[in-house]
Amino acid sequence: MKTAEQQDTAIHEIKKRSMTGEVLSRLVRNKGAVIGFIIILIVVVACVLAPVIAPYHYDDQDISRKFLEPCADFIMGTDNLGRDIFSRLLYGGRISLQVGFIATGISALFGITLGAISGYYGGKIDNVIMRVLDIFMAIPNLLLAIAISASLGTGIASAMIAVGVSSIPQFARIVRGPILSVKGQEYIEAATAIDASDMRIIFRHLLPNVLSPIIVQITLGVANSIIAAASLSFLGLGVQPPQPEWGAMLSASRVYIVDHSYMVTFPGLAIALLVISLNLFGDGLRDAMDPRLKD
Amino acid sequence: MAPLLEVKNLQKYFKVPAGFLHAVDGVSFQIEEGQTLGVVGESGCGKSTLGRVVLHLLDNTGGQILYKGEDITKVDHHKLSQLRREMQIIFQDPFSSLNPRMTVYQTIAEPMQIMGGYRKEDLQNRVMALMDTVGLARRFVNTYPHELDGGRRQRIGIARALALNPRFIVCDEPVSALDVSIQAQVLNLMLDIQEQMGLTYIFITHDLSVVKYISNHIMVMYLGQMVEMAPSDELFARPLHPYTQALLSAVPVPDIDHKKERIILKGELTSPINPKPGCRFAARCQYATEECFKQEPELRQVGENHTVKCHKVQA
Amino acid sequence: MSDTILSIKDLSIQYVSREIGTCRAVNNVSLDIQKGENLGLVGETGAGKTTIALGILRLTPKPQGRVTSGTVEFWGEDLYKKSEAEMRKIRGEKISMIFQDPMTALNPIDPVGDQISEMIWLHEKITKKEAAAKAANMLEMVGIPAARYKEYPHQFSGGMKQRVVIAMALACSPELLIADEPTTALDVTIQAQVLDMMNGLKKELGTSLLLITHDLGVVAEMCDKVAIIYAGEIVEVGTTRHIFKDTRHPYTKGLFGSLPDMNSHSKRLKPIHGLMPDPANLPQGCKFAPRCEFCTERCTKQEQELTAVSPDGHLVRCWRAVEEEGGV
């Protein structure tokens, strides 16, 4: 059959159309994503440059100037020990961001892998993995984190591992469901028929098609990890005072919420701002990576 | 000539909570090289499962599949890779059979990338050549499936199946999701490539007019069993099994002067889970007698290449 | 004409969306259905068949869908001038619709009998008990034992569900039934059962039928009149005999050429080349011109009106068909 289409014999350049360029150009056109990205960038840069920007050291105490309302010298006021809240936020951000991203990275890495393996192979493997994860899920997250953290000793590293490990089951669950439904699609059978290896099917055909829930879970996970890490330090595990950390600042100042509400407000705002901008960016990224959503 | 593919007493049961679902139950056939075997039946009769078992996408429960005279039901990984180059599949749904996140190029090139041994340039030329073969304009090489219509998407699926120069293709309802005018284009394409490349097809469909058009032999399936098999023209001229007769009479013919006696079957398909002994069609059959409910009929030869599974048909 | 139950005049429906612009789904369609008549509306995916059906019932999806011109008259009364309350009474009571997928019409958590009786009870002034008795009757009528009254939709097979939907649609003895691909999702032997049953019920109840389908075989068995629709326009309309035996429009001919014929031994099909135009970007002139083997310069510039080619209501929208084969 000769159709008009067949006369098209020009050599067309094969473009690497997958990720990179196209995703970026679509991301740039998404206002929410751009705003989110800019805020994240500002927060990250500010925290990295904390020693340069911060007007005081985070542990610079002076009881004579405690509980100062925000003013020209202390733009966010001072706390119960007379420390500058703004400086503490900047230094604290370094820890909080690290904990948030690294802990989420740990849980995403293991959670996604376990969920994908579980969903793809099914049967006994699925049963074993999911039942083990169910046991972990049955233990309250914080309790699990405390247990891990207690056995690893105090410190940021163990806090990150503790928080990361305790949210692996959520990731695994969130990945496994969509994997099960994508697995039934005919293109997975087609991949088997062209002799694609299991790893190729999982990483090339299954995971790219379940990205949306993963990205959403990651953006939420960062926020959850910051809070969870704060709870740990509140209990004396994880980050140790006087090292500042957003969650710890928030919980330490809650006693003063009635008389000195600004002490709670600023760390709270910092966490909220980061979470919102992460969500904005995550949503934009999810849309940009889906070739079906055309501009 | 020895048949390219021979299937002997093939069985595929699925374990379900209520027992075993007999999806394919004792099917036997042969296909000569370059021929097309049409498999017709209604939804749930096991025709798609049959195609997948033959291709080793599902393991069989019993029976033999001989490809070039060699039993392929128990082969090692290396041999399976080789078989997959020669045996391919084209799917029904042009939407779910393509990975939405891969471009036309990536989809068609993937089988060759997996096999390896292609230089980048050769790979690109080969993809372009395949697109020409299936009548897909080269300008679509960088598009995603969702940007194309059903007919073009189906051509991508065909190109992917042809990429490794297979000898045998299972076509699972390849045109039933397409509009009639597009369906005709794709059917013609499939006949063209069969002629050019000497392909052997198993063509699975529920559409009797399509199956007659494309097949040399036709096998009619009912609840996992083959009830009748004959050369295409013979089956349409002389259907013997009561189910085949009802099936043929039920097809609406686009001709207002075509008056025919229509056999309206009573009832619906019975469950293929733990089927009762006896003929599986008996409950809906107007000729059924006590014997039919008690004893399962044998497949019998009733003419040259014409077999039927019914107590009531005389040889 | 006193026997005209439904008259669509010059109906145009557009879908507007920011991404793809204005989609001209239905363009100046006019159709009449007489009492007791079966009209087949035949076209391919995206031709605008379902949009017409929804337009008749004033169910065009809002806000993206817009009826830009035309009237729909039911027994001479313009449906587009009715209030929403009057429309609700007409839907179901006077005009019913059956969809391709029966599950869209059935509530999965209610027994099927209750769903039918509720429908009757809502539209007729009778007690719930009488409505239930009538619903049981309707079930028997479509070949489902009344004993299954209390069963839920998931307990029925696809063909049975579609029958329940038909029972529901016919429960209030509507004067017009709009069936959108009612048997496409069914197997042929089940399709034969359902079509057979619909034919019987129609005779019994005197209902008129607008049958939307892509299957010319179903049309040949069910319909008195046929309208062929392409890219939102009617390209040929006439009695079933006109369309099947005196085919004029190249698109209609192409449709027949695309069908494998069970009774012949043709080696190759004669498909229509190319694809249906994008309704957001329709060509100037005849919409079929880009795919037509007889296309001339005039076809690409100006479109023929639907023109009679026989005195008894065979209309075609094609320059060549009207001129070379003689108009009236």
Side-chain angles (χ1 to χ4, degrees):
Chain A
M1 186 184 49
K2 293 282 164 208
T3 64
E5 294 196 347
Q6 266 171 310
Q7 270 114 55
D8 178 17
T9 50
I11 300 299
H12 289 265
E13 192 192 340
I14 287 130
K15 286 182 254 165
K16 251 269 187 271
R17 259 189 76 175
S18 49
M19 304 296 150
T20 49
E22 206 160 314
V23 172
L24 271 181
S25 77
R26 286 161 75 174
L27 202 55
V28 168
R29 268 172 289 165
N30 184 328
K31 275 191 203 123
V34 173
I35 293 173
F37 182 71
I38 291 174
I39 296 176
I40 298 171
L41 200 68
I42 292 174
V43 172
V44 170
V45 169
C47 293
V48 169
L49 297 180
V52 184
I53 302 173
Y56 306 90
H57 189 255
Y58 64 84
D59 199 21
D60 206 348
Q61 300 184 17
D62 185 348
I63 302 294
S64 65
R65 59 172 202 231
K66 68 178 179 181
F67 297 131
L68 287 180
E69 302 266 316
C71 57
D73 281 346
F74 305 97
I75 54 172
M76 291 181 186
T78 57
D79 66 3
N80 53 328
L81 295 172
R83 295 175 296 196
D84 179 36
I85 294 181
F86 178 59
S87 306
R88 284 180 66 75
L89 267 186
L90 288 178
Y91 279 102
R94 307 174 104 184
I95 309 285
S96 287
L97 289 176
Q98 265 187 59
V99 172
F101 286 110
I102 296 178
T104 310
I106 293 172
S107 47
L109 184 70
F110 289 98
I112 293 169
T113 311
L114 285 174
I117 289 175
S118 191
Y120 176 66
Y121 289 103
K124 278 199 191 105
I125 296 177
D126 181 32
N127 246 327
V128 170
I129 293 179
M130 289 325 283
R131 290 306 79 78
V132 170
L133 291 178
D134 279 349
I135 294 172
F136 275 85
M137 267 189 130
I139 307 169
N141 254 2
L142 192 59
L143 206 61
L144 188 64
I146 291 170
I148 298 172
S149 186
S151 61
L152 292 177
T154 55
I156 308 179
S158 66
M160 289 189 294
I161 294 173
V163 171
V165 169
S166 64
S167 39
I168 287 176
Q170 279 131 339
F171 265 98
R173 284 240 164 247
I174 264 186
V175 172
R176 180 177 169 269
I179 290 266
L180 281 180
S181 76
V182 173
K183 193 174 85 167
Q185 301 277 315
E186 284 180 339
Y187 59 80
I188 303 301
E189 260 190 311
T192 315
I194 58 173
D195 204 26
S197 65
D198 289 350
M199 284 303 120
R200 189 182 179 97
I201 291 176
I202 291 177
F203 287 103
R204 189 129 175 82
H205 295 279
L206 286 173
L207 281 180
N209 286 295
V210 300
L211 269 183
S212 315
I214 293 179
I215 291 175
V216 172
Q217 180 70 16
I218 286 179
T219 55
L220 292 175
V222 171
N224 287 340
S225 303
I226 292 177
I227 309 279
S231 315
L232 280 185
S233 36
F234 181 68
L235 291 167
L237 301 157
V239 184
Q240 297 300 305
Q243 185 86 21
E245 186 252 331
W246 290 356
M249 288 171 71
L250 193 66
S251 49
S253 54
R254 81 193 190 293
V255 237
Y256 310 107
I257 193 163
V258 181
D259 298 324
H260 310 285
S261 58
Y262 62 90
M263 276 181 67
V264 195
T265 311
F266 291 110
L269 270 181
I271 295 177
L273 194 67
L274 183 70
V275 171
I276 292 173
S277 48
L278 271 171
N279 280 341
L280 282 174
F281 181 70
D283 281 358
L285 190 66
R286 177 191 62 193
D287 291 351
M289 287 171 87
D290 192 340
R292 280 162 296 190
L293 295 172
K294 256 299 168 198
D295 357 74
Chain B
M1 198 167 74
L4 180 73
L5 184 84
E6 186 171 4
V7 166
K8 286 182 185 162
N9 195 25
L10 192 68
Q11 290 169 323
K12 174 68 191 174
Y13 298 168
F14 291 102
K15 184 142 181 50
V16 292
F20 283 100
L21 188 152
H22 295 221
V24 175
D25 205 354
V27 169
S28 307
F29 59 84
Q30 307 184 345
I31 315 174
E32 310 266 313
E33 183 142 23
Q35 300 259 304
T36 301
L37 172 73
V39 178
V40 275
E42 295 180 277
S43 49
C45 73
K47 54 190 191 301
S48 288
T49 307
L50 174 68
R52 281 160 174 74
V53 173
V54 168
L55 286 186
H56 240 283
L57 291 173
L58 292 172
D59 289 328
N60 66 328
T61 310
Q64 279 187 312
I65 306 166
L66 303 171
Y67 180 73
K68 293 190 213 158
E70 191 183 345
D71 189 357
I72 60 167
T73 49
K74 286 170 191 69
V75 289
D76 59 13
H77 189 78
H78 175 73
K79 181 78 190 158
L80 190 60
S81 291
Q82 261 184 341
L83 279 173
R84 292 222 156 121
R85 270 172 229 176
E86 300 199 10
M87 306 170 88
Q88 273 301 318
I89 180 162
I90 299 171
F91 293 95
Q92 165 177 15
D93 185 346
F95 289 87
S96 86
S97 63
L98 301 173
N99 186 337
R101 291 186 190 253
M102 282 166 69
T103 62
V104 171
Y105 176 79
Q106 291 169 328
T107 302
I108 300 178
E110 193 180 17
M112 295 174 279
Q113 285 166 341
I114 291 171
M115 193 169 85
Y118 284 87
R119 282 184 306 144
K120 199 175 172 207
E121 214 171 287
D122 296 339
L123 193 61
Q124 295 188 355
N125 289 337
R126 174 88 179 121
V127 170
M128 291 301 175
L130 282 165
M131 288 177 74
D132 291 346
T133 310
V134 299
L136 192 66
R138 292 181 173 196
R139 70 191 137 92
F140 293 120
V141 71
N142 295 313
T143 50
Y144 284 102
H146 69 96
E147 297 166 320
L148 302 172
D149 63 280
R152 290 212 179 96
R153 296 174 60 116
Q154 203 54 296
R155 288 173 199 266
I156 303 173
I158 296 173
R160 171 178 59 193
L162 294 178
L164 298 179
N165 283 321
R167 292 179 66 185
F168 168 74
I169 300 182
V170 170
C171 314
D172 187 7
E173 305 254 18
V175 295
S176 48
L178 306 176
D179 274 319
V180 268
S181 68
I182 309 299
Q183 172 177 314
Q185 293 175 2
V186 174
L187 279 177
N188 277 354
L189 169 68
M190 296 188 64
L191 284 176
D192 287 340
I193 50 181
Q194 179 172 37
E195 260 169 34
Q196 284 164 24
M197 310 171 88
L199 292 171
T200 309
Y201 287 152
I202 286 188
F203 198 97
I204 297 165
T205 181
H206 67 279
D207 188 329
L208 286 149
S209 44
V210 168
V211 83
K212 167 151 194 226
Y213 172 69
I214 202 152
S215 315
N216 305 98
H217 286 76
I218 296 175
M219 174 168 109
V220 181
M221 282 184 77
Y222 188 81
L223 284 182
Q225 300 184 322
M226 61 184 281
V227 295
E228 186 163 4
M229 179 148 127
S232 190
D233 291 335
E234 160 90 2
L235 187 88
F236 276 75
R238 205 161 69 95
L240 292 176
H241 196 282
Y243 177 66
T244 314
Q245 291 169 355
L247 201 60
L248 288 180
S249 83
V251 182
V253 179
D255 182 351
I256 50 172
D257 290 337
H258 181 88
K259 290 282 169 261
K260 61 180 179 188
E261 192 69 16
R262 171 175 284 170
I263 306 163
I264 301 281
L265 288 178
K266 300 266 184 300
E268 316 243 339
L269 256 71
T270 35
S271 165
I273 299 169
N274 301 335
K276 295 189 198 81
C279 172
R280 293 190 185 175
F281 184 63
R284 296 173 81 187
C285 181
Q286 54 180 335
Y287 309 110
T289 58
E290 210 176 313
E291 181 191 18
C292 302
F293 287 97
K294 278 190 185 143
Q295 201 189 354
E296 188 177 316
E298 299 274 310
L299 257 183
R300 277 182 303 154
Q301 188 92 17
V302 287
E304 200 189 341
N305 295 324
H306 194 158
T307 47
V308 65
K309 189 184 179 77
C310 179
H311 288 304
K312 299 292 148 201
V313 175
Q314 304 307 316
Chain C
M1 267 197 292
S2 60
D3 263 0
T4 307
I5 176 165
L6 187 83
S7 174
I8 304 170
K9 291 201 182 87
D10 199 33
L11 185 70
S12 299
I13 300 177
Q14 301 182 343
Y15 292 106
V16 184
S17 76
R18 212 156 25 127
E19 292 89 48
I20 47 170
T22 305
C23 198
R24 290 158 62 200
V26 174
N27 303 305
N28 308 94
V29 164
S30 298
L31 277 175
D32 285 334
I33 303 177
Q34 313 297 325
K35 181 153 180 47
E37 187 176 65
N38 291 355
L39 174 71
L41 191 56
V42 180
E44 296 180 90
T45 315
K49 297 168 298 189
T50 304
T51 307
I52 293 177
L54 295 175
I56 294 172
L57 288 167
R58 261 176 57 188
L59 292 172
T60 308
K62 297 273 156 44
Q64 66 275 33
R66 275 203 328 238
V67 177
T68 51
S69 78
T71 56
V72 178
E73 290 179 2
F74 184 65
W75 288 121
E77 288 179 49
D78 190 347
L79 291 182
Y80 276 83
K81 295 209 173 85
K82 300 264 182 210
S83 71
E84 200 42 52
E86 286 174 301
M87 234 10 246
R88 267 199 297 274
K89 265 192 91 57
I90 288 173
R91 289 181 210 130
E93 202 167 311
K94 305 268 193 272
I95 308 177
S96 282
M97 185 154 176
I98 304 174
F99 295 92
Q100 175 175 346
D101 178 4
M103 271 325 276
T104 56
L106 293 175
N107 184 344
I109 58 163
D110 269 347
V112 293
D114 287 353
Q115 297 190 40
I116 301 173
S117 76
E118 191 191 357
M119 174 94 187
I120 302 171
W121 182 74
L122 280 175
H123 286 281
E124 287 175 23
K125 291 189 185 68
I126 53 176
T127 64
K128 289 206 169 169
K129 218 172 172 180
E130 286 166 340
K134 200 169 169 195
N137 258 339
M138 286 308 301
L139 278 180
E140 291 275 356
M141 211 160 138
V142 294
I144 298 173
R148 302 192 67 179
Y149 185 97
K150 282 284 170 201
E151 286 183 23
Y152 292 87
H154 69 90
Q155 291 169 292
F156 292 83
S157 67
M160 299 278 246
K161 272 187 246 175
Q162 196 59 291
R163 285 190 220 192
V164 172
V165 172
I166 292 171
M168 210 151 122
L170 294 175
C172 295
S173 320
E175 295 171 58
L176 175 66
L177 180 64
I178 301 175
D180 188 1
E181 306 264 9
T183 56
T184 307
L186 306 177
D187 280 320
V188 272
T189 58
I190 310 297
Q191 166 172 285
Q193 288 175 4
V194 170
L195 291 180
D196 197 56
M197 181 203 86
M198 276 175 74
N199 254 333
L201 288 178
K202 258 188 50 64
K203 280 197 195 111
E204 206 169 312
L205 304 171
T207 314
S208 309
L209 175 70
L210 174 63
L211 180 71
I212 296 172
T213 181
H214 67 278
D215 189 333
L216 285 163
V218 171
V219 168
E221 299 201 354
M222 296 287 290
C223 296
D224 313 308
K225 256 172 72 179
V226 186
I228 308 284
I229 183 161
Y230 182 78
E233 288 184 340
I234 292 187
V235 293
E236 186 164 5
V237 60
T239 62
T240 315
R241 181 154 295 276
H242 286 143
I243 302 295
F244 283 79
K245 292 290 163 188
D246 185 21
T247 317
R248 296 294 182 92
H249 197 282
Y251 175 63
T252 320
K253 287 181 181 166
L255 280 184
F256 282 108
S258 299
L259 291 176
D261 184 352
M262 286 213 302
N263 302 312
S264 81
H265 300 266
S266 57
K267 227 25 236 164
R268 279 289 188 277
L269 297 168
K270 293 186 254 346
I272 312 170
H273 295 313
L275 301 167
M276 191 147 70
D278 177 2
N281 190 14
L282 290 176
Q284 214 197 352
C286 175
K287 309 286 179 284
F288 187 64
R291 296 175 77 181
C292 181
E293 53 181 320
F294 307 110
C295 172
T296 64
E297 213 186 322
R298 179 168 61 170
C299 298
T300 60
K301 291 203 173 115
Q302 202 189 351
E303 188 170 37
Q304 169 71 290
E305 295 295 309
L306 256 185
T307 310
V309 289
S310 85
D312 53 350
H314 187 184
L315 284 74
V316 180
R317 188 191 290 277
C318 173
W319 291 110
R320 182 172 172 275
V322 170
E323 280 166 19
E324 289 184 15
E325 300 178 20
V328 182

